[in-house]
Each structure stands twice: as C-alpha cells, then as structure tokens.
C-alpha cells in the first residue's frame, strides 16, 4: 500500500509540474518508523532464540575510550535500543589515560568471550595517548564486527560478497530507506557525496552491488551541483550544514541525508538545532523522496546495529549446533 501510494505521489508530482501549476512535494521517508518496524521484528527473533536455546540472548559490547559527550549520547541510544529488543548489552568505558596496548588487550579478551556476539569500538577514540584507530578497528574479530568497519568486512563488501560480511550500519540503513521508497536501484544513476570509511565508501559499494551506476564526490570534486543534478538516487554524508540546495536536485530523485550538524537556533532553549547536509525546505520542492533530519538515517543506524548483532548471534548458534 505504502509503495503504491509513494509511487503514485511521485507520478502525480511529475504530472502537476508538467502543467506548471503545482510544486512537487517530496514523500518523507521516515527512519523513525522504519527503525521501529525493524526493531519489532528483532524482538520476535530474540524471543525465538530464548525459547529454543534455553534463555540464550545475543550479547553486544560497546567499548569506549574517554568520555566525549556526543559519544555518550550515541552509546545511550544503542544501549536503550538493545534493552528494548532483549539484547544483552554492556558498556565498557576505559579512561582516556588508557594506552593502546590495554585497549587491544580488552578487544582480544572480548573476541574470545562466547557471550559477546557483537563488539563495537565507539569512534572517535578520546584518548590522551597515541592511538592507531585502524589497528584498533581491525583488532575486532570480523565475526563480531557488527559495525562492519574492519578491513575483512570492508573488503568483502567491496568485492560484492554481501552475504558473508557485516554491512556498516549507516549505509545499510540508507539502503533500507531507499527500499522503502519502492524505487529500484538497478540501472539508476546514484551519486554519493562523501568517501569516509563509515558512510561514503561503503555506500558506494552497496549501491554498486545493487546494480546502480555510482559516482562518488568529495571535497575536491569540481562542480558539485552538476554532479548532484545527475542523480536519480542521492546519498549525502559530508557534515556540511544544508549545503546541498534543492535546485541542484533532479526532479523526483530519492534523497537520503546522513548529515548531522548543529546550528544556532535562538528560538530554542538549547540555542541550537540539528540539520542535515541537504537544505530540506528547497529539496522538498524537488525530490520525489526525502529523509528528514532528525528522524531519517540516524534511527536506522542504531536499528541496523541491532540487526547485525542478532545476525551474529544467529550465526554463533548455527555454528554451535553444527559442532
Ligand atoms: P567525514 O568527515 O569522515 O567525511 C566527510 C566526507 O565528506 C569526506 O569524504 C569529505 O571529502 C566530504 N566532503 C566534505 N566537504 C565536502 C564538500 N564541500 N563537497 C564535497 N564533499 C565534501 O564524515 P562522516 O562520513 O563520518 O560523516 C558525514 C556526516 O554524516 C556527518 O554529518 C556525520 O555526523 C553524519 N553521520 C551520521 C550518521 C548517522 O547515523 N546518521 C552516522 C555517521 C555519520 P574528503 O574525503 O575529500 O575530505
């Protein structure tokens, strides 16, 4: 029903623009709602595991170094989601004085712990000591790397071995939101803005292996508006408040905004508000589908982390029953 209505609204928008009397208003793609549906499905899966495997629960550990406010906020939303689903989540916070070897020792011990099925290191590391972030990310066992950030998982994704790896949570959440629109990715021109290991690069891989033709833009890209105007599917993750303007966007495009930027807003008690990388009001007049910020990609990232943890626990149980 949703898909039919969505397609219909896209079609109506195009027709009305031909007559030049009405502006297209994008269909909002709600991450809050989609994430709620994903989490409800996961609750059932965890209940089944508990029933069939004598109270078994998936285990997730979030390892933090230091005490950054933004990290604390993200961690609390992960722990809350885990508790709602029935995942046994644990938060280990190491002081910022911890040395790299000590962090690695913790990771290696958690890799061996059979009650831990998902292990994530909260980034960025907030440490007084020198830390090799890549070394630490890669110390997490690929079998428990539910953030999908290790070289093993990233390599599998880049080769299109999608079933054998853990997909990074934010791009996976974006794909899920694109699916919600009912717009097929195959054969479409997709443009990704940003090439980070967490968002842009894996987003490129996912779109590519779902058969889009993909262009990746970054800070040295010339004529960003021209690149954006070619996209049937546009995924933006650059951390530049409202930089993407509506009149750059192809009419009817699917626009997924990963950006989380805090800007001044004197009308609020906090004195600030969160906005995306896309200028929402103008994009709303051009896109066919648009994710809001907040309430778009953010909740999906957490939901996909929970999904990966449940998948990891399922794989663990399959291996146990085989041996
Ligand atoms: P990074 O800073 O690691 O990467 C930003 C990317 O954007 C880089 O590739 C950079 O290019 C590119 N970029 C920066 N400025 C421009 C520009 N003017 N034109 C074109 N490209 C540009 O950020 P992340 O990927 O970690 O995060 C991106 C955004 O997504 C942030 O707002 C972040 O908060 C948000 N985010 C949201 C998540 C969620 O759950 N919703 C999860 C993770 C991130 P170059 O490589 O050349 O420097």
């Amino acid at each position: 029903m949703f898909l039919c209505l969505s397609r219909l609204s896209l079609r109506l928008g195009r027709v009305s623009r031909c007559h030049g009397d009405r502006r297209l208003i994008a269909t909002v793609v709600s991450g809050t709602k989609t994430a709620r549906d994903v989490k409800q499905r996961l609750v059932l899966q965890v209940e089944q595991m508990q029933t069939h495997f004598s109270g078994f629960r998936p285990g997730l550990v979030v390892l933090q170094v230091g005490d950054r406010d933004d990290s604390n906020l993200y961690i609390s939303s992960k722990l809350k989601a885990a508790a709602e689903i029935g995942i046994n989540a644990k938060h280990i916070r190491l002081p910022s004085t911890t040395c790299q070897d000590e962090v690695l020792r913790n990771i290696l011990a958690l890799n061996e712990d059979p009650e831990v099925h998902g292990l994530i290191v909260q980034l960025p590391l907030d440490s007084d000591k020198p830390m090799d972030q890549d070394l630490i990310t890669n110390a997490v066992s690929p079998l428990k790397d539910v953030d999908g950030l290790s070289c093993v998982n990233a390599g599998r994704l880049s080769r299109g071995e999608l079933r054998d790896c853990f997909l990074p949570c934010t791009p996976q959440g974006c794909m899920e939101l694109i699916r919600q629109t009912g717009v097929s990715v195959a054969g479409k021109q997709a443009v990704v803005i940003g090439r980070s290991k967490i968002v842009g690069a894996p987003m490129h891989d996912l779109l590519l292996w779902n058969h889009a033709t993909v262009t990746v833009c970054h800070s040295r890209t010339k004529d960003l508006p021209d690149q954006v105007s070619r996209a049937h599917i546009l995924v933006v993750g650059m951390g530049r408040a409202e930089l993407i303007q509506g009149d750059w966007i192809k009419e009817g495009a699917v626009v997924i905004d990963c950006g989380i930027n805090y800007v001044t807003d004197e009308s609020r008690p906090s004195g600030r508000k969160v906005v995306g990388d896309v200028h929402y009001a103008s994009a709303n007049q051009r896109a066919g589908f648009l994710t809001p910020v907040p309430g778009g990609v953010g909740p999906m990232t957490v939901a996909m982390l929970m999904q990966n943890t449940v998948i990891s626990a399922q794989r663990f149980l399959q291996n146990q029953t085989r041996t």
Side-chain angles (χ1 to χ4, degrees):
M1 177 70 168
F2 170 74
L3 297 185
C4 296
L5 282 175
S6 303
R7 287 190 184 119
L8 185 64
S9 70
L10 182 61
R11 265 205 309 275
L12 284 175
R14 280 190 178 138
V15 170
S16 63
R17 192 177 295 280
C18 288
H19 291 288
D21 55 356
R22 239 186 70 195
R23 297 191 72 88
L24 179 131
I25 302 292
T27 299
V28 177
V29 188
S30 167
T32 308
K33 184 190 173 307
T34 309
R36 199 167 44 230
D37 294 346
V38 170
K39 285 192 271 183
Q40 276 170 2
R41 179 168 44 75
L42 295 176
V43 167
L44 298 179
Q45 291 179 359
V46 171
E47 279 172 4
Q48 278 178 356
M49 284 185 201
Q50 284 186 293
T51 308
H52 295 300
F53 296 91
S54 6
F56 173 93
R57 288 194 342 166
L60 172 69
V61 170
V62 183
L63 183 66
Q64 180 184 19
V65 181
D67 194 19
R68 280 174 63 114
D69 285 344
D70 56 349
S71 293
N72 291 337
L73 205 65
Y74 293 135
I75 291 169
S76 69
S77 68
K78 290 169 190 176
L79 297 177
K80 182 168 169 275
E84 285 165 8
I85 290 164
I87 291 172
N88 204 0
K90 194 165 140 194
H91 176 200
I92 299 177
R93 184 190 281 138
L94 303 174
S96 53
T97 49
T98 312
C99 68
Q100 179 168 289
D101 282 352
E102 185 56 24
V103 177
L104 290 172
R105 264 195 295 278
N106 270 274
I107 292 174
L108 296 182
L110 292 163
N111 282 346
E112 296 302 319
D113 185 340
E115 293 189 357
V116 177
H117 310 104
L119 169 56
I120 63 170
V121 180
Q122 186 68 37
L123 299 176
L125 300 163
D126 173 25
S127 174
D128 305 339
K129 303 275 167 61
M131 292 273 166
D132 181 340
Q133 190 169 296
D134 285 338
L135 185 73
I136 288 172
T137 308
N138 283 305
V140 175
S141 162
L143 300 174
K144 299 189 179 187
D145 169 30
V146 285
D147 257 345
L149 297 179
S150 67
C151 284
V152 172
N153 281 313
R156 286 186 181 140
L157 170 58
S158 75
R159 285 158 41 145
E161 296 162 14
L162 304 193
R163 285 178 195 281
D164 300 328
C165 64
F166 284 114
L167 300 173
C169 302
T170 301
Q172 192 183 172
C174 294
M175 283 306 295
E176 202 54 52
L177 292 176
I178 294 168
R179 264 182 223 117
Q180 290 295 317
T181 68
V183 173
S184 159
V185 172
K188 296 290 187 329
Q189 294 288 339
V191 173
V192 178
I193 307 187
R195 56 178 167 180
S196 71
K197 289 176 192 162
I198 294 180
V199 183
M203 193 68 235
H204 162 271
D205 295 339
L206 268 178
L207 287 163
L208 178 70
W209 293 110
N210 280 279
H211 314 298
T213 303
V214 193
T215 304
V216 178
C217 303
H218 44 77
S219 63
R220 311 275 183 97
T221 297
K222 305 276 184 233
D223 202 349
L224 197 60
D226 181 57
Q227 297 295 342
V228 168
S229 72
R230 297 167 194 270
H232 298 118
I233 296 169
L234 176 68
V235 183
V236 189
M238 58 179 175
R240 299 283 178 268
E242 299 182 312
L243 191 140
I244 305 296
Q245 299 300 306
D247 58 3
W248 302 2
I249 293 170
K250 191 191 257 316
E251 280 185 25
V254 175
V255 179
I256 309 288
D257 187 355
C258 302
I260 300 176
N261 310 286
Y262 290 93
V263 296
T264 307
D265 182 353
E266 303 295 355
S267 70
R268 293 177 187 229
S270 65
R272 62 179 200 165
K273 66 173 177 179
V274 65
V275 297
D277 289 345
V278 176
H279 186 266
Y280 190 86
S282 59
N284 199 22
Q285 308 278 311
R286 291 280 281 208
F289 297 90
L290 180 60
T291 59
V293 179
V297 175
M300 289 305 291
T301 298
V302 178
M304 294 299 106
L305 175 67
M306 299 303 130
Q307 181 169 287
N308 279 352
T309 304
V310 171
I311 290 171
S312 183
Q314 284 166 338
R315 288 178 185 166
F316 170 82
L317 288 173
Q318 276 163 9
N319 281 338
Q320 293 289 105
T321 46
R322 257 188 233 129
T323 52

